[in-house]
Amino acid sequence: MELTSYGAAGVVTGSKHLLTSKGLNFLVDSGLFQGEGVEKKNEDVLPFKAHEIKAIFLTHAHLDHCGYLPVLVKSGFHGKIYCTKATRSLAEIILLDSAKIQEYEAKESQTKKHLLYEEEDVLRTLDFFDTCDFDKTYHCEHLTFSFHTAGHVLGAAFLRVELEGKSLTFSGDIGQPYDMLMPSPAPLIQTDYLVLESTYGDRIHSKENTINHIASELKEVIANGGTLLVPVFALARLQLFLAYLHEVFTIYPELKIAAFVDSPMGSAMTKVYKDFHYLLRPTEKEFLTYLESAKILEFSKETEKMHKMTGPKIIIASSGMISGGRIMNHVERLGKYESTTILLTGYQGKGTIGRELLEGAREIRINGHRQKIRAKVSMLESLSAHADKEQLLDWVQTASKNPHKIFLVHGEPESLGPFKEFLSSNLESIVEINAEGKSQSL
């Protein structure tokens, strides 16, 4: 039995982990590489034959985990794609949006060189999905598998597989244990091998009071008569930010100002959250109340009307890394004013505008031109959807016994090394950093 990572090895994006057993191939996640310097890898020749993959197991719906699925279907994959029900619903939205963006960019550049797939490819891909319940055992050939709550985002799961008398667990992305919306990750079931994400393997999340931080930024914006501009990920960060904004408005009613969500994808994602409210930590009534903290804009004329409003306001839009979506237009329009505050709410990948701003850039390239940034830039660190290094260690230690071996993936080089040392000093496990394309015998 062999494990080979063809993505998220030495980088955070592009998750693809191939498991080979008894002549059969199984793939865990199939994501796109994202960010400057790695996106071109999406156009590389497949390192394996798509038609020889028996099944794909999808841990959650983020593009860096599911965005490559239509490429595999175009290349001949015809097996089943297993995931949870909520992940299936969210993946449909994300994949269709990905195809739409690619088609638009291809039209603008008048070339299809970088067009990985189109809408019809996504629709074909959706036919191969087969949904599963949490904590239930399923069978595929000689392999048994089960999905368990990972927190992180709606529907996210860690995957446990058993084959050839051994157990192997893929963490997917593990969420924080005290997320306001998502339940804590389920305890890790004792496993021989663990493929573990390392996004924040080099740090401990800030213990800041999220409500107080948002309130502080709002006080400043109100005093300046400006705009609080909040880039969010349409999946999970938008819904969580609205929950915190509701709490801020409840505790500090004097800070309640007009708030708007300008994100078609965010609106669609929120509808899925409503459908699967029973997977969330708050009650359905509580969740619906959180959503009342901002008006969701449905039409472009509403956006223009919002911009014509005088006085302070909050604009919430995706994408969270300012790498696309309507947030680009808002940053272009409002980032040049000192009265604007850009409040980042999650991980900012290398090569994104969000990372540039976080690192202090005062001039960026956006929508095809250079622009000065005079806005204040702040980071809401407590809103991360990923567990930090101590929380990941705590999760691993929920198992009755340490894994024999841990393979680190889904992390940048500067986090992987320190995280390996940290785990090695606290666990009785062999810890290795997976290299792209290098097979590991299990």
Side-chain angles (χ1 to χ4, degrees):
M1 179 166 57
E2 289 187 337
L3 171 69
T4 312
S5 294
Y6 289 107
V11 295
V12 171
T13 59
S15 290
K16 299 179 196 72
H17 307 293
L18 187 69
L19 184 61
T20 302
S21 172
K22 294 185 178 181
L24 297 178
N25 294 323
F26 305 93
L27 189 66
V28 179
D29 286 335
S30 181
L32 287 179
F33 289 98
Q34 296 174 284
E36 186 177 341
V38 295
E39 281 189 349
K40 280 291 182 181
K41 290 172 67 66
N42 292 320
E43 301 175 22
D44 291 348
V45 176
L46 287 169
F48 46 81
K49 295 180 180 179
H51 71 272
E52 293 182 353
I53 299 173
K54 188 64 181 179
I56 300 174
F57 304 93
L58 180 59
T59 60
H60 63 285
H62 274 145
L63 195 65
D64 64 315
H65 289 258
C66 75
Y68 199 76
L69 288 171
V71 179
L72 293 180
V73 171
K74 281 182 63 177
S75 302
F77 173 77
H78 55 272
K80 289 186 176 182
I81 302 170
Y82 295 103
C83 66
T84 65
K85 294 180 175 67
T87 291
R88 161 63 176 79
S89 295
L90 294 169
E92 177 175 351
I93 297 170
I94 287 178
L95 291 174
L96 286 172
D97 182 74
S98 175
K100 181 179 178 181
I101 291 173
Q102 291 180 59
E103 290 172 9
Y104 173 78
E105 292 177 344
K107 181 180 179 181
E108 288 295 298
S109 63
Q110 298 187 350
T111 174
K112 287 195 174 185
K113 182 179 179 181
H114 65 289
L115 187 61
L116 296 174
Y117 50 84
E118 301 174 79
E119 182 177 332
E120 63 184 53
D121 300 311
V122 173
L123 296 178
R124 285 182 56 220
T125 300
L126 294 173
D127 289 337
F128 295 105
F129 275 74
D130 194 344
T131 59
C132 305
D133 294 325
F134 282 103
D135 305 318
K136 184 176 178 180
T137 299
Y138 296 87
H139 301 271
C140 179
E141 297 296 327
H142 62 287
L143 175 152
T144 62
F145 67 95
S146 54
F147 289 104
H148 306 273
T149 301
H152 187 55
V153 300
L154 187 71
F158 63 86
L159 170 72
R160 175 182 171 82
V161 299
E162 295 182 10
L163 68 173
E164 298 187 28
K166 300 174 183 177
S167 55
L168 174 61
T169 299
F170 295 84
S171 71
D173 288 350
I174 299 297
Q176 296 201 63
Y178 307 112
D179 189 281
M180 192 172 175
L181 290 186
M182 297 308 304
S184 300
L188 174 64
I189 303 167
Q190 196 279 317
T191 186
D192 297 319
Y193 301 96
L194 173 63
V195 181
L196 181 62
E197 69 122 321
S198 314
T199 311
Y200 285 127
D202 62 340
R203 71 194 72 176
I204 299 173
H205 290 315
S206 168
K207 304 301 182 185
E208 70 175 353
N209 185 300
T210 305
I211 292 173
N212 288 346
H213 186 156
I214 297 173
S216 176
E217 302 294 353
L218 274 177
K219 289 175 184 177
E220 187 173 336
V221 164
I222 291 171
N224 295 333
T227 301
L228 181 64
L229 192 53
V230 189
V232 294
F233 301 101
L235 173 55
R237 294 312 87 188
L238 166 60
Q239 296 77 23
L240 181 58
F241 185 79
L242 292 179
Y244 276 110
L245 189 59
H246 173 269
E247 294 301 288
V248 171
F249 288 163
T250 299
I251 297 172
Y252 304 101
E254 70 276 12
L255 299 181
K256 189 170 184 178
I257 58 176
F260 305 92
V261 175
D262 190 21
S263 171
M265 179 184 280
S267 176
M269 295 289 187
T270 301
K271 290 177 182 176
V272 177
Y273 266 67
K274 291 179 182 178
D275 292 340
F276 292 92
H277 62 84
Y278 54 86
L279 295 177
L280 302 176
R281 188 186 294 270
T283 65
E284 179 182 14
K285 182 178 180 181
E286 289 171 336
F287 178 65
L288 293 178
T289 301
Y290 296 158
L291 301 182
E292 296 173 359
S293 59
K295 175 179 173 56
I296 297 178
L297 304 180
E298 300 288 350
F299 307 103
S300 58
K301 63 181 181 180
E302 292 181 300
T303 302
E304 285 305 311
K305 183 178 179 181
M306 171 192 68
H307 278 298
K308 292 177 181 178
M309 288 179 53
T310 58
K313 56 182 170 288
I314 304 167
I315 301 177
I316 309 160
S318 57
S319 70
M321 298 184 194
I322 319 181
S323 56
R326 294 190 178 183
I327 191 64
M328 301 283 283
N329 298 329
H330 295 304
V331 170
E332 179 184 20
R333 186 167 187 163
L334 299 169
K336 56 191 173 186
Y337 300 119
E338 292 182 358
S339 59
T340 298
T341 292
I342 301 174
L343 182 60
L344 303 172
T345 59
Y347 178 80
Q348 304 298 311
K350 285 185 176 181
T352 64
I353 293 175
R355 174 67 76 93
E356 289 183 53
L357 293 176
L358 187 61
E359 294 178 345
R362 303 311 289 171
E363 183 176 302
I364 60 173
R365 183 169 183 80
I366 189 166
N367 289 339
H369 65 90
R370 303 295 301 181
Q371 178 171 312
K372 296 284 186 181
I373 294 295
R374 299 182 179 87
K376 172 186 175 182
V377 178
S378 184
M379 177 67 173
L380 193 59
E381 296 184 7
S382 56
L383 229 60
S384 173
H386 290 268
D388 63 23
K389 69 175 189 178
E390 289 189 345
Q391 293 166 341
L392 287 170
L393 173 63
D394 289 343
W395 178 68
V396 174
Q397 291 179 322
T398 59
S400 58
K401 181 182 178 182
N402 290 166
H404 167 64
K405 185 176 286 189
I406 298 175
F407 301 104
L408 299 183
V409 299
H410 204 284
E412 294 176 354
E414 54 265 35
S415 69
L416 288 165
F419 192 40
K420 176 183 177 180
E421 293 182 12
F422 175 70
L423 292 179
S424 297
S425 64
N426 285 280
L427 298 171
E428 295 178 354
S429 302
I430 300 170
V431 184
E432 296 186 4
I433 298 173
N434 265 19
E436 185 172 334
K438 179 182 178 182
S439 297
Q440 303 275 5
S441 295
L442 307 181

